[in-house]
Amino acid sequence: MCDTIINIVNIVGKEVVRTVVGLIGVFIVVIGNAIMLTWAERKVAGHMQRRIGPKEVGPFGLIQSFADSVKLLGKELLTPANVERPLYFLAPTLIFVPVLVTFVVIPFDGFLQVKDINVGILVILAFSSLTVLSILIAGWGSNNKYSLIGAVRSVAQNIAYEIPLLLSLLPIIFMANSFSLRDVVEAQKGLWFVFYQPVAFLIFFVASVAETNRTPFDLPEAESELVAGFHTEYSGMRFSLFFLAEYTNMFIVSAIAVTFFLGGYQGPILPGVVWFFMKTYVLVFVLLWFRWTFPRVRFDQLLNFSWKILIPVSFLNLLVTGGILKL
Amino acid sequence: MRVVADIIKGAYSLIVGMGVTIRAFFSPVVTCQYPRETINISPRFRSHTKLVGDPENPDRTKCIVCGMCERNCPSNSIKKIEGEKKEGEKKKTATSYILDFTTCSQCGICVESCPVDALAFSSDYNPVGFRREDFHYDLVKEYEKRKKTA
Ligand code: SF4
Ligand code: SF4
């Protein structure tokens, strides 16, 4: 049995096997994470409003997300009459590309990483901008005013917040002297970067909340104004792909924050991967906490906050870091 | 300077808000899981009316079939108050008292106008039925049933 596996690995090549196995693992993490988070979101929402949340389906309502996904899978795929068909179909698939690519470069543990690309950070930042493209496509292709407004807002918001996001990661790259995520984690062996760069961490976290389109920055899908924003016209499985992408994005931004600022998989006693997931889910909980605490910001506040506060402050932070490192 | 003060004030208010929600998160739940649990109904709660038993003779209700409630009901919800005089009793005893709960507005005029205080509101908060006729209650029968289960 073992021999045959080794033989097969030798025939197709180690790299291919690693990628395939890694992608399967990524899929499992993506699905498992989305199922867990939909449950957790409702549970957290419930308890923050002093309710119980889901409790009927399975123990503590744990099976609720499974029941929901079966329901979504069973729904008819409705295509509205006047949509731009190719774009309309493309959007839900496209939103998954950045999600998968980002997972490839995240180091879950010392060796648990699909591929360590030496420009990993650039890959993440480049592909995460694709999310906004698919939102724009979805909004445009839906032929619906609410979708379009949602998409346009999303673009403005993502452009505004991409800049501080990038600027807050640059000091980390200065300090680690590398673009590879594994090197960044290894550079935090002594002290996590969050202690050197608390301002950068705050800016990064705020900007990534905006990037994931979650409250208080959920203007692209503002339920109370825009029905459901860019995914108004989507139903069934296509809707659930957007949904899945949102929850996966939450995981990703938390994972990146952990990798860059909270020491990644580093931690005593427990295996690295356990540390990694623990830290990530603490940040995810903070995201949920934000959502059930803060009201949505107004659009001008949103843009002002980014252009007038986050960007100048992150520039300043970058300059100071550069100056200190040079000394 | 004002901008900085604003930012600090804003950040502080955000933290205060997060404190509120996290405290709620760890506080006990205040909702009642209705079909599994019920809460005590307030004594002031008004459901349909019920006939009150006669403390001297639990076999009969206090009602003396005078018809005051029927005449005073603004919604004409009370029908068919009938009774008979039992052997050796001075007063009539009700044998039928139909309340049409579908039109009753729980105004309480019948309760107030009864000269012998034979009516009261019950606390039956979840009556269900499949037909309109399910809500035409015979309060005498209902009294007898209550007496049996008590
Ligand atoms: S409560 Fe009012 S409406 Fe209902 S039966 Fe009595 S008098 Fe009629
Ligand atoms: S007013 Fe009182 S005593 Fe008279 S019929 Fe109605 S319930 Fe009976």
Side-chain angles (χ1 to χ4, degrees), chain A residues 5-266:
Chain A
I5 291 177
I6 290 172
N7 274 336
I8 293 171
V9 169
N10 281 336
I11 290 165
V12 292
K14 277 209 181 80
E15 237 1 79
V16 177
V17 171
R18 193 189 174 97
T19 311
V20 169
V21 172
L23 279 180
I24 293 171
V26 165
F27 266 110
I28 292 171
V29 172
V30 166
I31 303 284
N33 169 67
I35 284 178
M36 231 260 332
L37 277 190
T38 36
W39 174 81
E41 170 114 42
R42 294 184 199 174
K43 216 54 180 171
V44 169
H47 280 280
M48 286 197 170
Q49 296 163 353
R50 303 191 68 178
R51 301 181 281 113
I52 290 188
K55 76 184 259 279
E56 292 294 331
V57 195
F60 307 106
L62 269 169
I63 320 279
Q64 184 71 49
S65 331
F66 288 95
D68 287 349
S69 35
V70 168
K71 184 201 79 178
L72 277 173
L73 281 173
K75 283 222 166 155
E76 187 190 350
L77 280 177
L78 222 74
T79 312
N82 290 322
V83 296
E84 194 83 38
R85 291 182 86 88
L87 294 183
Y88 180 81
F89 295 141
L90 184 65
T93 339
L94 195 63
I95 202 161
F96 244 81
V97 175
V99 167
L100 287 182
V101 172
T102 322
F103 261 104
V104 167
V105 291
I106 292 178
F108 291 92
D109 199 347
F111 67 95
L112 209 62
Q113 184 181 17
V114 182
K115 199 157 174 49
D116 186 31
I117 303 173
N118 57 8
V119 287
I121 297 161
L122 294 186
V123 169
I124 290 179
L125 289 175
F127 274 90
S128 69
S129 328
L130 262 184
T131 315
V132 66
L133 181 66
S134 60
I135 288 179
L136 185 61
I137 289 178
W140 180 261
S142 293
N143 189 19
N144 173 318
K145 58 185 170 213
Y146 297 117
S147 303
L148 188 58
I149 295 173
V152 168
R153 282 183 182 186
S154 174
V155 173
Q157 173 177 338
N158 272 269
I159 289 172
Y161 280 87
E162 199 95 331
I163 302 167
L165 195 79
L166 220 138
L167 289 177
S168 64
L169 289 183
L170 272 182
I172 303 299
I173 298 168
F174 284 0
M175 294 177 75
N177 248 329
S178 165
F179 277 112
S180 146
L181 271 78
R182 176 129 19 125
D183 293 350
V184 169
V185 175
E186 289 302 327
Q188 300 178 66
K189 264 240 159 69
L191 198 55
W192 296 351
F193 281 154
V194 65
F195 297 111
Y196 296 114
Q197 294 284 354
V199 180
F201 175 67
L202 262 179
I203 292 172
F204 176 83
F205 204 57
V206 171
S208 54
V209 175
E211 285 283 305
T212 48
N213 295 334
R214 282 184 66 83
T215 344
F217 305 112
D218 62 340
L219 289 110
E221 44 192 295
E223 293 96 342
S224 42
E225 313 158 22
L226 295 180
V227 191
F230 61 89
H231 56 59
T232 306
E233 295 289 358
Y234 286 89
S235 58
M237 203 51 216
R238 295 198 194 110
F239 165 74
S240 35
L241 278 177
F242 281 117
F243 204 65
L244 205 64
E246 175 179 339
Y247 282 102
T248 316
N249 272 330
M250 271 169 71
F251 180 86
I252 288 176
V253 294
S254 307
I256 296 174
V258 165
T259 310
F260 278 85
F261 294 97
L262 300 178
Y265 49 79
Q266 317 255 22

Side-chain angles (χ1 to χ4, degrees), chain A residues 47-48 50 52 56 289-290 293, chain B residues 17-18 21 24 28 30 36:
Chain A
H47 280 280
M48 286 197 170
R50 303 191 68 178
I52 290 188
E56 292 294 331
W289 189 2
F290 279 177
T293 306
Chain B
M18 288 177 73
T21 37
V30 289
R36 310 250 183 283

